[in-house]
């Protein structure tokens, strides 16, 4: 598990091959997580969850990469319990699930 936010006081993180699940704590400032390049990550799966509300969490693609149908556009989580699952698919990151609250 990778913890990003207040307790660890790391507000930015670049996802790597050893990452899978991210608990994001944006209570004091926004959390920003950058995905690795899609081309170098085929089949990688990342799960992100906001564990508190606050300034929000942004999941950003690497430069010139896509998430679903948007190039260079971040996925944003703003609610407590909100979660997103992404997989590196052919040509772009694909969102598999995006839940708005604790489920």
């Amino acid at each position: 598990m990778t913890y990003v936010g207040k307790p660890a006081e790391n507000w930015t993180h670049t996802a790597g091959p050893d990452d899978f699940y991210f608990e994001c704590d944006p209570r004091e400032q926004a959390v920003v997580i950058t995905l690795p390049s899609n081309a170098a990550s085929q089949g990688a799966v990342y799960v992100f969850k906001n564990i508190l509300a606050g300034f929000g969490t942004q999941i950003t693609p690497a430069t010139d990469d896509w998430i679903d149908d948007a190039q260079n556009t971040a996925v944003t989580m703003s609610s407590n319990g909100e979660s997103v699952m992404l997989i590196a698919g052919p040509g772009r990151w694909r969102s598999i699930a995006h839940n708005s609250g604790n489920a």
Side-chain angles (χ1 to χ4, degrees), residues 80-102:
N80 180 29
E82 189 170 355
S83 61
V84 175
M85 180 186 292
L86 298 173
I87 186 169
R92 65 192 68 210
W93 288 91
R94 292 286 186 191
S95 57
I96 304 304
H98 190 161
N99 296 313
S100 61
N102 287 315

Side-chain angles (χ1 to χ4, degrees), residues 25-59:
D25 181 349
R27 72 181 118 162
E28 291 189 19
Q29 81 181 58
V31 169
V32 179
I33 301 170
T34 303
L35 297 169
S37 78
N38 175 272
S41 304
Q42 290 299 292
V45 176
Y46 294 124
V47 178
F48 308 87
K49 182 167 182 147
N50 258 5
I51 60 167
L52 290 165
F55 290 87
T57 298
Q58 291 186 344
I59 304 157

Side-chain angles (χ1 to χ4, degrees), residues 2 4 6-7 12 14 22 26-27 31 51 60 75 93 96-97:
T2 299
V4 186
K6 175 58 181 159
T12 62
T14 299
F22 296 83
R27 72 181 118 162
V31 169
I51 60 167
T60 61
V75 171
W93 288 91
I96 304 304

